[in-house]
Every structure is written in C-alpha cells, then in structure tokens.
Amino acid sequence: MKFIVKLFPEITIKSRPVRKRMIQRLGTNLEVTLRRVDEQIKVRNNWDKIDVVCAPGTEHLRDEVVSVLSRTPGVHAFLEVREFPLVDFHDAYERTRDAYAELLRGKTFKVRVKRSGRNHDFTSVDMERYIGGGLNQHTEAAGVDVRTPQVWVDLEIVDDRMFIVTERHKGLGGFPLGTQEPVLSLISGGFDSVVASYMTMRRGCKTHFIFFNLGGHAHEIGVKQVALHLWQRYGSSARVKFVTVPFEEVIGELLQNVHHSYMGVILKRMMLRAAERAADFMKIDALVTGESVAQVSSQTLTNLALIDKATDKLVLRPLVTSDKQDIIDLSKEIGAFEFAKSMPEYCGVISDRPTTRGKMERVLEEEANFDFEVLEQALKKVQVIPIDEIVENINAHAAVEALTRVGANQVIVDIRASHEQEKKPLNMPGCEILTIPFFKLSTEVESFDTDREYLLYCEKGVMSQVQAHHLQEKGFANVKVFRPESV
C-alpha cells in the first residue's frame, strides 16, 4: 500500500532553500503522526512529492492513513497508488485494466499519463492512446470522453516504475506545521476563536492556546476539550501549551469600576495585556483572535484599533472579513461545530449599550478607575500545561438539573450583573430572591443555608448552568438552576 503526497502549490514556488526546508518539515510531521498508526510506515521525501509506503499486510490500516494525510497541513492532495515495474505498453494496459475494469462499467473515461525521471522512448500521449484503446475494447466502459469523462484513469511513470492511481484524495492545503513562527491564540471555545486557531495551524503556525476563564471549571473543561480536538486533528506533530488565566475577578473589577458602555473594549484590552505577558514568557511574537469586522460592538474598526493599542504584539485576525455563517460552516468541516455550539460567549455577558466608536481618552479615563493589581493577581495564578497532558477522554459533565417552578424551601439567586438586574428586575411574587452577581458567588455561597435549595437564575440560562455545576463540584449539592417558562 502506497500513497504519493502532492505539495501545496505555494510551497513549489518558494526559493530552493525554503522549499527544501518545507518539504523536510512536512516529511517529519508525517513521520510523527503516521508512526502512531504503524511504526513501520516509511516516509520518503522527494523534490516534488513525498512517498508514504506501508508495510505488506497493513491494508486494514488504510482508512487511518488516509485520515492522517487528509488532515496534515501542507498536503495539497494525495494519490492512492499501486506500484509495478515498467515493462511495456501491453503490460501497463493489463495492469490498468485489472485495477479499473469494475470502476469503468457503464461510464465514460479518459486515460491520463504523467512521466518524470530518465528519458523514455515514448510520449505520454502514446501510452494514453494504447491503454485507452485497450480499455475501450476490452471493458464494459461507455466509451472515451476527452472533455468531461466520468472517470479519470491516472498513471504516473517515474524512471522504470509505473504507478496506477486507484483513488485521489483532497488534502488540507496550507503550509507544513512549524514552518512559520509560533502564535498564541486567545480561545474562548466559541465558533470564532476555534476557527481562527484552526486557520493559523493550517497556515503552518505552531498554535498555542490561552484561555481566559470567566465561567468556572465547567467552562475550562469545555474549552480544553475543543482545543484538544483541534490539536489532535490538525496539529499533533508539534507540542503546544494550553494556558489558563483566571479572569472572574477581573470581570468583577470591570463591572464595579468601568462604565458599561466601555466594558467590552476594556475587557479585550485586559485580555491582550495578559496574553502579551504570557507570549513574552513563551517567546512568541504574535497573538491570534477570532474577531471579525462589525460582528459585535467591540469589533468595529474604531474599537479594534483601541484594543490593539493595549499591546505591542502583532495581533492576527484570520476571520477579519468572514461572515458568521461561513465561520459556522467551516467549524462543521473541521469537526468543531458540536463543541462550539454549546459554548457560551462570556465576553457578551457584560455588554449593555456598548459604544461602537470608542475614544482613547475615555478608555484611559475608565482604565484609571480599574485596579490593575487585580490583573496582576490573575497573572500570578496562570496555569500552563502541555496540551497532550489534557486527559483525552475528557467529557462535558452532566447538566445540572434545571427547575421551572420554585418550591417552599427554595431560594432564587439572580446572578446577573447589577445593571442587568436593574434594567429587567426578576418579578416572582411570593418567592425569596437573592441578588448576587456571578463573580461574587464563590464567596457568598459560604453563607447559604445547607437545609435549603438555591436556584441560580440568569436570562439566557447559560451562566447559571455553568456556575451551578462549578459550585456542585465544590460540594454545594443544594445549588441548582432556575429556568422559568416565562418571566
């Protein structure tokens, strides 16, 4: 069993030294990932292609090999081939007939021959005509069609060897992982940041992940899960880091001391500051975000410019002009849709009549009210782990029970931010209601009566679910979720 790997076209136009380096890197990446399938698989680099040769008797591994090759950055396409010695035209015809007879039944076809290597005493057209004539006469094909054939019969002649292509597969494209400088991607687990991370991996950047935890342990588990998925499928030839920054107290400081209209912009600036510090430590020069122009209020050109001024690092935005539906569609293609669709967008939790045309002087004025010691404390609690140490069988925990009615021994806890509570008060006559913003829950929960049940409420039912799960994990089994049918 053999495969011929075709290089991404942009690799072939590079200078000779760069092209050689990229081919070597691609070969090494394939060796690393294919070794996990079978240690006997051989990877051989050539100037214009890479050969992948499997040991005899390993046909049962074919689907795994195809899967790895189709998900490796730098592979434009790859051919599944059968290799034979080049004897003469008739021998070539007979071997091609044996390989294609069933596939040609009732279909039109065209033979295509490519030659390379030492001088041959025939042309590609000569061989195409001979083999095509034989197949037309001695198979049940519907005939030759040189313009729009239903089946392409592909052969490659290299020196004195003949390769019959039995199947052609599409590759991922892009540059081999590790041929570009490393980047640090700000990943929230939602569609945008996940797809942006994939795109830098595909482009050859060793992509590390930094996660700003705004929603407790359950949120962290979900983001680790999708990051692990991306790495396993598209980047496992490189070792990368997963960085976690606890940001709940930063959110609390913002909610208490920054005007609501500037919270979104200033939150992103705080994230870039923290990411810059992590990137400096990791010797990384570029940050990656999933922002797209005008998708939300903080992503207007004016606000993006304000956000960028918080760091001296290059900020890459692979999705900058992408439509949301295109981003979602791509998440389906890369197998990340199911992860991302259930991931809440925590950055939007604090938005309330946000500005779309922020002013730098106002940003600086609001940030002057922010206690930067809170950010420093968050950075002291940063956790960094190799992504391959994330448990592979990590699963999203079971959802916390959500109740639609309140019993006699139950208390509703409104965990929305203060401005949300004021804007739309929770009206539940006859029910006891506590107003505790989510960022204060971890301390206030200590005063909860163990003989009563506490039902967390937020408007979308997302933050309440995550926070309830987090508290249950800490031993507060009397915490559940309140999700009324209508409020």
Side-chain angles (χ1 to χ4, degrees):
M1 187 166 57
K2 180 173 181 175
F3 300 86
I4 297 177
V5 176
K6 301 292 186 179
L7 307 176
F8 181 53
E10 289 184 41
I11 296 175
T12 63
I13 62 174
K14 300 296 182 183
S15 66
R16 188 177 186 88
V18 173
R19 177 173 177 171
K20 181 179 179 180
R21 176 173 61 84
M22 288 190 170
I23 293 173
Q24 289 175 338
R25 171 61 70 175
L26 179 55
T28 299
N29 291 349
L30 289 173
E31 285 179 345
V32 170
T33 51
L34 290 172
R35 194 179 298 129
R36 298 178 188 138
V37 177
D38 181 14
E39 292 186 354
Q40 298 185 63
I41 295 178
K42 304 296 182 185
V43 178
R44 300 168 183 163
N45 296 349
N46 299 287
W47 180 244
D48 60 345
K49 61 184 175 65
I50 292 177
D51 295 334
V52 174
V53 183
C54 303
T58 59
E59 286 73 18
H60 62 288
L61 300 175
R62 181 257 181 192
D63 290 347
E64 288 185 67
V65 174
V66 169
S67 178
V68 169
L69 294 176
S70 67
R71 295 183 279 104
T72 301
V75 175
H76 175 65
F78 56 100
L79 313 176
E80 202 166 343
V81 301
R82 299 179 188 174
E83 182 178 356
F84 304 98
L86 177 62
V87 179
D88 54 34
F89 278 12
H90 192 71
D91 180 76
Y93 149 68
E94 289 182 330
R95 295 187 184 280
T96 305
R97 179 199 60 201
D98 293 344
Y100 276 90
E102 287 300 316
L103 188 60
L104 292 178
R105 191 187 301 274
K107 297 179 181 177
T108 59
F109 72 95
K110 183 183 186 308
V111 177
R112 184 165 49 187
V113 175
K114 294 182 180 180
R115 295 181 304 117
S116 63
R118 71 179 191 182
N119 293 330
H120 299 104
D121 59 359
F122 60 89
T123 67
S124 296
V125 174
D126 293 336
M127 179 173 275
E128 289 170 353
R129 287 173 175 168
Y130 188 94
I131 294 176
L135 295 176
N136 195 36
Q137 293 181 49
H138 301 293
T139 68
E140 297 181 34
V144 175
D145 184 346
V146 297
R147 295 184 181 276
T148 56
Q150 292 174 285
V151 178
W152 287 96
V153 179
D154 287 322
L155 289 84
E156 291 201 13
I157 308 300
V158 181
D159 295 327
D160 59 353
R161 308 297 294 175
M162 178 179 71
F163 301 93
I164 297 177
V165 179
T166 57
E167 195 163 349
R168 180 182 296 269
H169 303 271
K170 183 180 179 181
L172 192 64
F175 290 124
L177 197 68
T179 56
Q180 311 305 312
E181 291 80 359
V183 297
L184 181 60
S185 181
L186 283 67
I187 186 168
S188 67
F191 294 110
D192 300 340
S193 63
V194 168
V195 173
S197 300
Y198 157 77
M199 293 180 73
T200 56
M201 295 166 74
R202 180 184 177 276
R203 201 61 182 171
C205 298
K206 184 177 179 179
T207 302
H208 301 267
F209 302 95
I210 184 167
F211 161 62
F212 296 94
N213 194 339
L214 310 180
H217 183 60
H219 186 202
E220 182 176 349
I221 289 292
V223 177
K224 282 182 175 178
Q225 189 176 21
V226 71
L228 182 64
H229 167 81
L230 282 180
W231 176 79
Q232 287 177 326
R233 287 186 63 84
Y234 306 108
S236 65
S237 61
R239 297 287 300 276
V240 303
K241 304 291 187 182
F242 187 95
V243 182
T244 300
V245 187
F247 240 52
E248 289 176 302
E249 293 184 8
V250 173
I251 291 288
E253 179 68 16
L254 283 171
L255 287 169
Q256 294 180 71
N257 296 308
V258 173
H259 192 272
H260 59 78
S261 63
Y262 273 80
M263 284 181 185
V265 170
I266 293 178
L267 173 60
K268 295 293 180 66
R269 284 169 60 87
M270 295 299 171
M271 288 180 172
L272 286 191
R273 287 186 174 106
E276 179 181 54
R277 294 273 287 277
D280 283 341
F281 179 78
M282 300 167 71
K283 296 181 171 55
I284 293 174
D285 294 326
L287 306 176
V288 179
T289 77
E291 291 158 319
S292 175
V293 169
Q295 189 176 113
V296 296
S297 60
S298 65
Q299 295 172 17
T300 62
L301 292 179
T302 300
N303 286 348
L304 289 175
L306 293 176
I307 292 168
D308 281 0
K309 289 177 181 178
T311 177
D312 291 329
K313 298 288 184 184
L314 172 65
V315 180
L316 300 176
R317 296 185 172 92
L319 307 179
V320 68
T321 60
S322 298
D323 295 334
K324 188 67 175 186
Q325 189 57 51
D326 292 337
I327 297 170
I328 293 173
D329 291 344
L330 184 50
S331 77
K332 294 178 181 178
E333 291 181 25
I334 64 176
F337 177 79
E338 294 299 327
F339 295 98
K341 77 173 184 179
S342 58
M343 196 70 61
E345 184 55 67
Y346 290 95
C347 292
V349 172
I350 63 172
S351 297
D352 179 31
R353 290 170 290 162
T355 181
T356 58
R357 296 183 63 83
K359 305 292 184 183
M360 179 53 72
E361 56 269 24
R362 179 67 184 278
V363 167
L364 296 177
E365 179 183 332
E366 293 297 331
E367 287 187 346
N369 298 323
F370 183 91
D371 182 1
F372 277 85
E373 181 59 27
V374 175
L375 181 62
E376 291 299 321
Q377 291 301 316
L379 288 169
K380 290 179 181 179
K381 299 175 184 177
V382 166
Q383 294 182 344
V384 182
I385 61 170
I387 197 168
D388 53 344
E389 291 184 7
I390 296 175
V391 181
E392 292 191 12
N393 65 351
I394 196 169
N395 292 312
H397 298 322
V400 176
E401 181 182 4
L403 304 179
T404 59
R405 295 185 179 182
V406 183
N409 198 41
Q410 294 174 327
V411 179
I412 298 175
V413 183
D414 188 343
I415 66 168
R416 295 175 296 167
S418 300
H419 65 266
E420 291 181 302
Q421 296 170 358
E422 294 171 2
K423 184 177 181 180
K424 191 176 181 181
L426 182 59
N427 185 20
M428 297 289 295
C431 295
E432 182 179 349
I433 300 176
L434 301 179
T435 55
I436 306 175
F438 67 91
F439 56 89
K440 291 184 177 180
L441 264 179
S442 59
T443 54
E444 295 290 335
V445 72
E446 300 291 343
S447 63
F448 284 8
D449 186 345
T450 56
D451 294 326
R452 307 186 72 181
E453 284 190 341
Y454 293 82
L455 311 183
L456 308 190
Y457 168 80
C458 69
E459 189 163 357
K460 295 181 179 179
V462 172
M463 184 65 79
S464 57
Q465 182 70 232
V466 172
Q467 291 293 334
H469 175 41
H470 178 51
L471 293 176
Q472 284 194 359
E473 281 198 330
K474 293 176 67 175
F476 297 96
N478 60 333
V479 174
K480 296 181 180 180
V481 170
F482 177 52
R483 191 173 297 156
E485 295 177 354
S486 61
V487 177

